[in-house]
Amino acid sequence: MQRAALVCLLLLTGCFQPNPVTGKSELSFYSDEDEIALGAQAAPGMEQESGGLYKDPELEAYVDAVGQRLAKSSDRPTIPFHYRILNTEDANAFALPGGFVYISRGLLASLEDESQMAACLGHETGHVAARHGVHHLQYSQITSVLLNVGAQVAGRGSDEAAIAAGRGLKVAQTVTALASLKYSRDDERQADHLGIDYAGRAGWDPRGMIGLMKVLQKGEKTQPNALQAMLRTHPLTTERVENAQAETSDLPPENLKGKTISTPEFQRQVARLREAEKAYQHHRKSKELAGQGKLQEAVQEEDEAIRLAPRQAPFHAGRAALKLRLNVPAEALSSAHQAEALDPGLYEAALVSGAASLQAGDTGSARASLTRASRLWPGHPAAPYYLGALCEKEGRRDAAAECYAAALQAEGESGTYGRPAAEALRRLRPPTAPHRRR
Ligand SMILES: [Zn+2]
């Protein structure tokens, strides 16, 4: 069935179009609109899986402004690019098809000047401009999974909660497919070249690429774990470093004259980020203590994080989760609402808000928050699990079973939510019941 659909797609819409960078004609299943839609569909899940987005309007605007200058100087200036910050101390950067480019706050904080940041964002812009992600998707079996996204969901039951859970699973497959992508050596070589080129064209010293690579090499020795994600998607080979060195040293001196190395704005923004890291250390400590069951001590650490950086939503969401575990739903709700107000896109906040409403018996609010959560992180098991509990509470057994099944499929029977979901399914769908057929 999937194979047939693939063949149809090839016959109907498979066509050749010029690559934006090389101009060479290439087979393309995706129009620009398709590619943008694909990226937009995968972005929320990829963002949540990579630590969520870092919320700081000033820093977000600054990073996006640098990115937009690179996008305008790129070979694909007509694509709407988005440059976003991942909320993780791990050093990472990646791009999704359709112009969604990410850099982690950990990587940002380790950079020494603006030209290094431009090199990094320019490299990722290069992956999008040359359509590297799309090429990989096209030529792998992943395509067949993508073809099914949406098609099956549309035909499923009419219960809103169950549809949200089902949609989550399908989108999760797209995210998994994109997350497992690895660029080839040729892709990396080309993205480095484009990063140097775009940064230079947009006014930065193109030797920022050398600086960036040196920062990564230094990190490889001093904090190898923090760099894992970055080096998995962009292995830093000696060849890449040598190529970048050769390319930038060959540039005529007039190409380097007046180019920006750094700006006071960069130094100020990065200093703020390094300051915020202190609050995040308390947040991490809180998570660690919570993992050991030391809930009261964990609350104290989260409170300290909030004192240092009161506008970071994850701290309020963490506090809400702790209060929920301590069986104080009213306090959990108020912290969750604070987190949601600061960052409406934070999965944990919507989830805890829903779970706390459920615990307090407010099913209407619980449904709204949990449905929102399942949209924010399609495929995470917690939201469908709680939606299942909600439906079961309301006596809607079929809808409950579908939600539990989604939670089970997302995590497996040994998981935190997968296990109780499996138990609930055995309760709702005993082997002799007619629902057994699938
Ligand atoms: Zn790369």
Side-chain angles (χ1 to χ4, degrees):
M1 188 61 203
Q2 286 179 7
R3 197 170 291 269
L6 179 61
V7 172
C8 286
L9 188 88
L10 273 168
L11 289 173
L12 291 172
T13 63
C15 64
F16 285 84
Q17 65 179 48
N19 181 279
V21 171
T22 63
K24 280 187 199 151
S25 181
E26 62 184 20
L27 183 65
S28 174
F29 300 170
Y30 299 95
S31 65
D32 283 0
E33 288 73 30
D34 294 340
E35 187 189 329
I36 293 163
L38 179 70
Q41 189 185 38
M46 284 291 277
E47 286 163 6
Q48 299 291 347
E49 298 217 354
S50 314
L53 294 180
Y54 184 68
K55 285 290 157 190
D56 174 341
E58 223 186 288
L59 182 66
E60 289 171 77
Y62 166 66
V63 169
D64 191 58
V66 168
Q68 295 305 335
R69 275 174 62 190
L70 291 158
K72 276 198 193 73
S73 305
S74 79
D75 296 292
R76 233 179 155 188
T78 52
I79 289 272
F81 276 86
H82 310 270
Y83 295 84
R84 297 173 178 167
I85 307 156
L86 295 170
N87 195 1
T88 171
E89 63 270 17
D90 294 343
N92 200 6
F94 64 84
L96 292 177
F100 298 84
V101 177
Y102 301 90
I103 183 167
S104 69
R105 70 176 161 84
L107 181 54
L108 267 177
S110 69
L111 298 179
E112 295 156 337
D113 62 51
E114 199 176 80
S115 72
Q116 295 176 357
M117 178 175 145
C120 177
L121 297 179
H123 174 104
E124 299 303 334
T125 304
H127 278 309
V128 176
R131 307 182 92 226
H132 290 158
V134 173
H135 292 164
H136 285 274
L137 281 178
Q138 282 184 179
Y139 294 106
S140 65
Q141 57 189 29
I142 291 162
T143 309
S144 62
V145 175
L146 296 175
L147 291 177
N148 274 332
V149 173
Q152 291 184 359
V153 179
R156 277 176 94 150
S158 58
D159 188 276
E160 198 193 338
I163 289 174
R167 188 190 297 122
L169 270 180
K170 289 294 164 192
V171 175
Q173 289 173 341
T174 317
V175 172
T176 311
L178 285 169
S180 64
L181 284 184
K182 251 194 194 156
Y183 298 120
S184 69
R185 270 165 181 256
D186 284 347
D187 289 349
E188 284 308 306
R189 195 180 300 129
Q190 191 182 27
D192 284 342
H193 163 72
L194 294 173
I196 289 168
D197 190 27
Y198 297 166
R201 282 196 228 169
W204 282 283
D205 190 317
R207 288 170 297 188
M209 186 64 83
I210 309 290
L212 170 67
M213 287 177 174
K214 282 190 180 145
V215 165
L216 294 175
Q217 277 176 328
K218 203 164 75 188
E220 218 174 340
K221 290 188 193 104
T222 54
Q223 37 178 178
N225 292 338
L227 268 172
Q228 262 171 13
M230 181 74 183
L231 297 177
R232 197 179 57 239
T233 46
H234 305 78
L236 190 62
T237 55
T238 348
E239 187 216 337
R240 278 183 65 196
V241 183
E242 285 168 3
N243 283 349
Q245 253 152 0
E247 190 171 340
T248 49
S249 62
D250 283 351
L251 289 169
E254 60 267 27
N255 281 26
L256 299 172
K257 225 168 81 187
K259 298 287 186 188
T260 305
I261 293 175
S262 204
T263 59
E265 178 71 350
F266 172 89
Q267 303 302 345
R268 199 172 69 82
Q269 295 292 353
V270 167
R272 285 177 61 233
L273 201 52
R274 289 177 186 150
E275 195 58 35
E277 176 57 24
K278 290 177 191 162
Y280 270 93
Q281 278 170 11
H282 288 283
H283 178 60
R284 276 201 298 282
K285 180 80 188 159
S286 173
K287 295 269 177 213
E288 203 182 297
L289 289 165
Q292 299 162 0
K294 297 174 182 166
L295 301 182
Q296 296 291 0
E297 288 169 62
V299 172
Q300 282 172 13
E301 287 294 333
E302 208 70 271
D303 282 342
E304 183 58 15
I306 291 170
R307 194 184 65 77
L308 292 172
R311 300 196 58 76
Q312 283 301 308
F315 304 166
H316 296 277
R319 188 177 193 279
L322 289 166
K323 290 293 177 181
L324 189 66
R325 283 178 70 183
L326 286 163
N327 255 323
V328 203
E331 270 198 67
L333 258 183
S334 106
S335 282
H337 287 160
Q338 261 176 297
E340 286 180 295
L342 288 166
D343 181 3
L346 187 67
Y347 173 78
E348 196 187 357
L351 180 72
V352 179
S353 187
S357 296
L358 188 63
Q359 204 177 73
D362 180 356
T363 51
S365 302
R367 176 183 310 282
S369 298
L370 292 171
T371 306
R372 200 168 60 249
S374 68
R375 283 204 192 100
L376 287 172
W377 192 344
H380 190 272
Y385 173 77
Y386 283 117
L387 277 170
L390 174 64
C391 292
E392 198 180 354
K393 205 170 179 174
E394 294 173 336
R396 295 181 301 130
R397 295 171 63 95
D398 282 357
E402 276 197 49
C403 292
Y404 285 136
L408 178 61
Q409 202 176 334
E411 200 181 33
E413 198 156 345
S414 58
T416 315
Y417 299 97
R419 189 198 319 246
E423 280 164 20
L425 273 173
R426 280 192 285 274
R427 188 168 67 235
L428 290 166
R429 288 174 170 169
T432 49
H435 289 110
R436 190 169 150 229
R437 68 182 166 80
R438 282 216 80 178

Short mmCIF file of all heavy atoms in Angstrom, two decimals, residues 156-184:
data_model
loop_
_atom_site.label_atom_id
_atom_site.label_comp_id
_atom_site.label_asym_id
_atom_site.label_seq_id
_atom_site.Cartn_x
_atom_site.Cartn_y
_atom_site.Cartn_z
N ARG A 156 -9.75 8.87 11.29
CA ARG A 156 -9.98 8.25 12.60
C ARG A 156 -11.17 8.85 13.32
O ARG A 156 -11.68 9.89 12.95
CB ARG A 156 -8.73 8.39 13.45
CG ARG A 156 -7.75 7.29 13.12
CD ARG A 156 -6.51 7.49 13.89
NE ARG A 156 -6.55 6.74 15.15
CZ ARG A 156 -5.43 6.28 15.71
NH1 ARG A 156 -4.28 6.48 15.15
NH2 ARG A 156 -5.50 5.63 16.84
N GLY A 157 -11.56 8.18 14.40
CA GLY A 157 -12.77 8.50 15.17
C GLY A 157 -13.04 9.99 15.34
O GLY A 157 -12.32 10.83 14.85
N SER A 158 -14.10 10.31 16.03
CA SER A 158 -14.51 11.70 16.10
C SER A 158 -14.20 12.32 17.46
O SER A 158 -14.42 13.51 17.65
CB SER A 158 -16.02 11.80 15.84
OG SER A 158 -16.69 11.01 16.79
N ASP A 159 -13.67 11.52 18.36
CA ASP A 159 -13.38 12.07 19.68
C ASP A 159 -12.13 12.94 19.63
O ASP A 159 -11.07 12.50 19.18
CB ASP A 159 -13.20 10.95 20.70
CG ASP A 159 -13.11 11.50 22.10
OD1 ASP A 159 -11.99 11.89 22.50
OD2 ASP A 159 -14.14 11.58 22.78
N GLU A 160 -12.26 14.16 20.12
CA GLU A 160 -11.17 15.13 20.00
C GLU A 160 -9.89 14.63 20.67
O GLU A 160 -8.80 14.74 20.11
CB GLU A 160 -11.60 16.45 20.62
CG GLU A 160 -10.76 17.62 20.18
CD GLU A 160 -11.01 18.85 21.04
OE1 GLU A 160 -12.09 18.92 21.67
OE2 GLU A 160 -10.13 19.70 21.08
N ALA A 161 -10.04 14.07 21.87
CA ALA A 161 -8.87 13.62 22.61
C ALA A 161 -8.15 12.50 21.87
O ALA A 161 -6.94 12.49 21.73
CB ALA A 161 -9.29 13.13 24.00
N ALA A 162 -8.93 11.55 21.34
CA ALA A 162 -8.34 10.42 20.63
C ALA A 162 -7.66 10.88 19.34
O ALA A 162 -6.60 10.40 18.98
CB ALA A 162 -9.41 9.38 20.32
N ILE A 163 -8.28 11.85 18.66
CA ILE A 163 -7.69 12.37 17.42
C ILE A 163 -6.35 13.05 17.74
O ILE A 163 -5.36 12.83 17.06
CB ILE A 163 -8.64 13.36 16.73
CG1 ILE A 163 -9.82 12.58 16.13
CG2 ILE A 163 -7.93 14.12 15.61
CD1 ILE A 163 -10.91 13.46 15.55
N ALA A 164 -6.35 13.83 18.81
CA ALA A 164 -5.10 14.51 19.20
C ALA A 164 -4.02 13.49 19.47
O ALA A 164 -2.87 13.64 19.03
CB ALA A 164 -5.34 15.39 20.42
N ALA A 165 -4.37 12.42 20.18
CA ALA A 165 -3.38 11.38 20.50
C ALA A 165 -2.89 10.69 19.24
O ALA A 165 -1.71 10.43 19.07
CB ALA A 165 -4.00 10.37 21.47
N GLY A 166 -3.81 10.39 18.32
CA GLY A 166 -3.44 9.71 17.08
C GLY A 166 -2.56 10.59 16.21
O GLY A 166 -1.56 10.14 15.67
N ARG A 167 -2.93 11.86 16.11
CA ARG A 167 -2.13 12.81 15.32
C ARG A 167 -0.72 12.87 15.88
O ARG A 167 0.26 12.87 15.15
CB ARG A 167 -2.79 14.19 15.38
CG ARG A 167 -2.14 15.19 14.43
CD ARG A 167 -2.64 16.59 14.69
NE ARG A 167 -4.05 16.74 14.45
CZ ARG A 167 -4.92 17.16 15.37
NH1 ARG A 167 -4.51 17.45 16.58
NH2 ARG A 167 -6.19 17.29 15.08
N GLY A 168 -0.64 12.84 17.22
CA GLY A 168 0.67 12.89 17.89
C GLY A 168 1.58 11.78 17.41
O GLY A 168 2.74 12.01 17.09
N LEU A 169 1.04 10.57 17.31
CA LEU A 169 1.85 9.42 16.89
C LEU A 169 2.40 9.60 15.49
O LEU A 169 3.55 9.33 15.22
CB LEU A 169 1.02 8.15 16.94
CG LEU A 169 1.04 7.42 18.27
CD1 LEU A 169 0.17 6.19 18.18
CD2 LEU A 169 2.46 7.04 18.63
N LYS A 170 1.53 10.06 14.59
CA LYS A 170 1.94 10.21 13.19
C LYS A 170 3.04 11.26 13.06
O LYS A 170 4.03 11.06 12.39
CB LYS A 170 0.74 10.62 12.33
CG LYS A 170 -0.26 9.51 12.15
CD LYS A 170 0.36 8.38 11.35
CE LYS A 170 -0.45 7.11 11.49
NZ LYS A 170 0.27 5.95 10.95
N VAL A 171 2.81 12.40 13.72
CA VAL A 171 3.82 13.46 13.63
C VAL A 171 5.12 12.98 14.27
O VAL A 171 6.21 13.28 13.80
CB VAL A 171 3.30 14.76 14.29
CG1 VAL A 171 4.39 15.82 14.29
CG2 VAL A 171 2.10 15.28 13.53
N ALA A 172 4.98 12.18 15.35
CA ALA A 172 6.18 11.67 16.02
C ALA A 172 7.03 10.86 15.05
O ALA A 172 8.26 10.90 15.10
CB ALA A 172 5.78 10.81 17.21
N GLN A 173 6.39 10.14 14.13
CA GLN A 173 7.16 9.36 13.15
C GLN A 173 7.96 10.27 12.23
O GLN A 173 9.10 9.97 11.89
CB GLN A 173 6.21 8.48 12.32
CG GLN A 173 5.64 7.34 13.14
CD GLN A 173 4.57 6.56 12.39
OE1 GLN A 173 4.01 7.04 11.42
NE2 GLN A 173 4.31 5.36 12.85
N THR A 174 7.36 11.41 11.86
CA THR A 174 8.09 12.37 11.03
C THR A 174 9.30 12.89 11.79
O THR A 174 10.39 13.01 11.24
CB THR A 174 7.19 13.58 10.68
OG1 THR A 174 5.91 13.10 10.33
CG2 THR A 174 7.77 14.38 9.55
N VAL A 175 9.06 13.22 13.06
CA VAL A 175 10.15 13.76 13.87
C VAL A 175 11.27 12.74 13.99
O VAL A 175 12.45 13.06 13.82
CB VAL A 175 9.63 14.16 15.27
CG1 VAL A 175 10.78 14.54 16.18
CG2 VAL A 175 8.65 15.32 15.14
N THR A 176 10.90 11.48 14.26
CA THR A 176 11.92 10.43 14.38
C THR A 176 12.71 10.33 13.09
O THR A 176 13.94 10.20 13.10
CB THR A 176 11.25 9.08 14.69
OG1 THR A 176 10.34 9.28 15.76
CG2 THR A 176 12.27 8.04 15.08
N ALA A 177 11.99 10.39 11.97
CA ALA A 177 12.65 10.27 10.67
C ALA A 177 13.65 11.40 10.48
O ALA A 177 14.79 11.18 10.07
CB ALA A 177 11.61 10.29 9.55
N LEU A 178 13.25 12.62 10.82
CA LEU A 178 14.15 13.76 10.63
C LEU A 178 15.29 13.75 11.64
O LEU A 178 16.41 14.13 11.33
CB LEU A 178 13.36 15.07 10.73
CG LEU A 178 12.50 15.38 9.51
CD1 LEU A 178 11.56 16.53 9.80
CD2 LEU A 178 13.37 15.71 8.31
N ALA A 179 14.98 13.28 12.87
CA ALA A 179 16.01 13.29 13.92
C ALA A 179 17.11 12.29 13.59
O ALA A 179 18.26 12.46 14.01
CB ALA A 179 15.39 12.96 15.27
N SER A 180 16.79 11.24 12.84
CA SER A 180 17.79 10.21 12.55
C SER A 180 18.62 10.57 11.31
O SER A 180 19.50 9.83 10.92
CB SER A 180 17.12 8.86 12.36
OG SER A 180 16.28 8.91 11.23
N LEU A 181 18.32 11.70 10.70
CA LEU A 181 19.06 12.10 9.51
C LEU A 181 20.50 12.42 9.85
O LEU A 181 20.79 13.05 10.84
CB LEU A 181 18.45 13.37 8.91
CG LEU A 181 17.17 13.25 8.13
CD1 LEU A 181 16.82 14.60 7.54
CD2 LEU A 181 17.32 12.22 7.04
N LYS A 182 21.37 11.97 8.99
CA LYS A 182 22.78 12.35 9.13
C LYS A 182 23.22 12.88 7.79
O LYS A 182 22.99 12.27 6.76
CB LYS A 182 23.59 11.11 9.50
CG LYS A 182 24.08 11.11 10.92
CD LYS A 182 25.15 10.05 11.05
CE LYS A 182 25.45 9.76 12.51
NZ LYS A 182 26.01 8.44 12.67
N TYR A 183 23.87 14.02 7.83
CA TYR A 183 24.36 14.58 6.57
C TYR A 183 25.60 13.81 6.12
O TYR A 183 26.36 13.31 6.94
CB TYR A 183 24.69 16.06 6.73
CG TYR A 183 23.51 16.92 7.09
CD1 TYR A 183 23.48 17.65 8.26
CD2 TYR A 183 22.40 16.97 6.26
CE1 TYR A 183 22.40 18.44 8.59
CE2 TYR A 183 21.31 17.77 6.58
CZ TYR A 183 21.32 18.49 7.75
OH TYR A 183 20.25 19.28 8.07
N SER A 184 25.81 13.77 4.82
CA SER A 184 27.00 13.11 4.30
C SER A 184 28.19 14.04 4.42
O SER A 184 28.06 15.24 4.68
CB SER A 184 26.78 12.74 2.84
OG SER A 184 26.73 13.93 2.06
#
